[in-house]
Amino acid sequence: MIVDAHYHLYWDDSDPMDFLMGCARVGARRFSKNTPEPMNAEQLLQMQLPILADESGDKLVQLMDESGIDKTLLLPLDYWYWFETSQNTQPYDIMKKNEIYATAAKNHEGRLYSLFGIDPRRKKSVSAFEKAVSKWDMKGLKLHPTTRYYPDDPVCYPLYEKALELQVPILIHSGNQPAPMPAKYSEPKYIDTVAADFPELKIVVAHIGHGWWRQTLDLASMKPNMYVDFSGWQGVYQNDPAYVASVLRSAIDTLGPWRVLFGSDGALLNVIMPLPEWVDSIKNINSVGNAKFSNEELEIILGKAAIHLFGL
Ligand SMILES: [Zn+2]
């Protein structure tokens, strides 16, 4: 059983264009690494948008079939609040976006599941979260603090209390992030404060904190309620597969396999590496480098851990 525990759907107006352009700039620079100036990011974006567009989750399920993925956990992003309040963009209906995610999960029962995503600074975020879990069967909460709030800001705490009450996990982005979002708000040490204040709340540190992975593992070694997903490591894997294997080995050695979750961070990351290739890379991780993994460990990190944690 393979579970992708970190995936985002995109469609027209699902996310601010500035964010997508930021991602396109990263891709453009990567695809033209060896030239003095990057390829045209705008062109790359316009080429990719129709390929990525998938409001229903139908394309994703087809891709899961091609990749051998049984279940995917969807994470709605709310970058909009920051754009609305600081960049004068039109107010965005974040509940509508979450409902689209919930509908995709409902229409693909047993294949797609979704967390609820909201900026904690929005009014009524707590009651909205409660509705999402009780009425839409959403499996927990996703926060993306790179829209300039810290995860240990008191404004977030009512959501954590509600997650505890509803007995669902939360997942917080941690690590690098394209412009116009700064990464610093998502440093693992701010998530550690949450884990300290809510020792019974299960908290996934997304991406193992990317380059902060040592900090994440060190902090999580003292906070048994901290989990990690290793989505978004495809680019690093392409550069140095053995290094990724050694990071994964450290994660399992430090936390045990049940707190380490496979993920892709698609659909955007599929542009860097096709999803079937990422799944195969992890399935065959024993073929690169010196780090070795038992079949049992691979079965747990590739699926069983996410099924257990999120009750899929
Ligand atoms: Zn993500």
Side-chain angles (χ1 to χ4, degrees), residues 6-8 10 19 75 77 79 142 144 171 173 177 206-207 210 229 231-232 264-266 269:
H6 192 130
Y7 204 96
H8 311 282
Y10 299 92
F19 161 70
L75 317 174
L77 299 164
Y79 295 138
K142 154 83 182 216
H144 214 297
L171 184 150
H173 170 89
Q177 177 76 359
H207 319 298
H210 287 307
D229 82 48
S231 64
S264 66
D265 206 7
L269 263 288

Side-chain angles (χ1 to χ4, degrees), residues 77-85 90-95 98 116-128 155 159:
L77 299 164
D78 182 10
Y79 295 138
W80 288 104
Y81 178 83
W82 179 73
F83 279 88
E84 282 166 24
T85 51
Q90 290 293 312
Y92 184 82
D93 188 348
I94 194 63
M95 286 310 275
N98 273 282
F116 176 67
I118 198 157
D119 189 306
R121 294 164 293 189
R122 283 189 192 274
K123 289 192 186 78
K124 298 188 181 158
S125 62
V126 177
S127 56
V155 76
L159 280 170

Side-chain angles (χ1 to χ4, degrees), residues 23-311:
C23 297
R25 281 190 207 98
V26 175
R29 188 68 278 195
R30 185 176 177 88
F31 295 137
S32 51
K33 221 190 235 179
N34 298 319
T35 55
E37 288 296 322
M39 63 188 278
N40 187 312
E42 179 73 43
Q43 268 174 16
L44 177 68
L45 182 63
Q46 291 313 325
M47 198 173 74
Q48 287 297 330
L49 281 180
I51 300 171
L52 294 171
D54 185 17
E55 189 170 343
S56 62
D58 292 353
K59 277 189 198 171
L60 169 59
V61 171
Q62 201 184 332
L63 186 58
M64 287 161 64
D65 291 341
E66 289 162 24
S67 311
I69 295 172
D70 297 284
K71 296 171 188 288
T72 292
L73 186 65
L74 304 171
L75 317 174
L77 299 164
D78 182 10
Y79 295 138
W80 288 104
Y81 178 83
W82 179 73
F83 279 88
E84 282 166 24
T85 51
S86 66
Q87 311 293 304
N88 292 320
T89 53
Q90 290 293 312
Y92 184 82
D93 188 348
I94 194 63
M95 286 310 275
K96 182 87 204 328
K97 177 171 182 174
N98 273 282
E99 195 174 6
I100 288 171
Y101 271 73
T103 305
K106 197 174 163 218
N107 290 341
H108 297 284
E109 207 186 333
R111 300 299 302 280
L112 303 184
Y113 303 82
S114 185
L115 299 190
F116 176 67
I118 198 157
D119 189 306
R121 294 164 293 189
R122 283 189 192 274
K123 289 192 186 78
K124 298 188 181 158
S125 62
V126 177
S127 56
F129 175 34
E130 181 157 33
K131 177 185 168 184
V133 172
S134 60
K135 295 241 175 5
W136 294 343
D137 197 29
M138 284 174 142
K139 302 296 181 190
L141 177 71
K142 154 83 182 216
L143 294 183
H144 214 297
T146 63
T147 52
R148 300 170 197 249
Y149 64 88
Y150 288 100
D152 62 358
D153 188 306
V155 76
C156 304
Y157 275 46
L159 280 170
Y160 302 148
E161 279 155 19
K162 185 53 75 178
L164 207 50
E165 184 194 314
L166 296 168
Q167 293 194 312
V168 291
I170 64 169
L171 184 150
I172 304 179
H173 170 89
S174 182
N176 59 40
Q177 177 76 359
M181 286 84 165
K184 68 170 185 176
Y185 294 90
S186 71
E187 195 175 345
K189 66 182 180 188
Y190 302 110
I191 303 175
D192 175 75
T193 319
V194 183
D197 289 339
F198 297 89
E200 299 298 325
L201 179 62
K202 291 175 174 170
I203 306 165
V204 181
V205 181
H207 319 298
I208 334 182
H210 287 307
W212 287 312
W213 67 270
R214 283 185 190 279
Q215 186 190 143
T216 303
L217 295 184
D218 183 44
L219 297 173
S221 73
M222 284 295 134
K223 299 286 179 352
N225 54 327
M226 284 169 84
Y227 295 67
V228 297
D229 82 48
F230 57 98
S231 64
W233 278 74
Q234 292 91 318
V236 181
Y237 181 91
Q238 281 171 335
N239 294 341
D240 191 349
Y243 170 65
V244 173
S246 74
V247 171
L248 267 185
R249 190 63 259 166
S250 292
I252 295 174
D253 289 341
T254 311
L255 310 179
W258 289 98
R259 289 161 65 198
V260 179
L261 316 176
F262 169 76
S264 66
D265 206 7
L268 287 177
L269 263 288
N270 301 347
V271 180
I272 302 284
M273 183 191 280
L275 192 53
E277 203 181 304
W278 179 230
V279 173
D280 284 346
S281 300
I282 302 304
K283 273 191 191 159
N284 302 315
I285 194 83
N286 278 319
S287 64
V288 297
N290 299 321
K292 294 299 167 214
F293 302 82
S294 70
N295 286 339
E296 197 191 350
E297 285 173 332
L298 289 177
E299 274 175 25
I300 295 168
I301 67 171
L302 275 164
K304 285 181 177 171
I307 289 173
H308 179 75
L309 176 60
F310 290 102

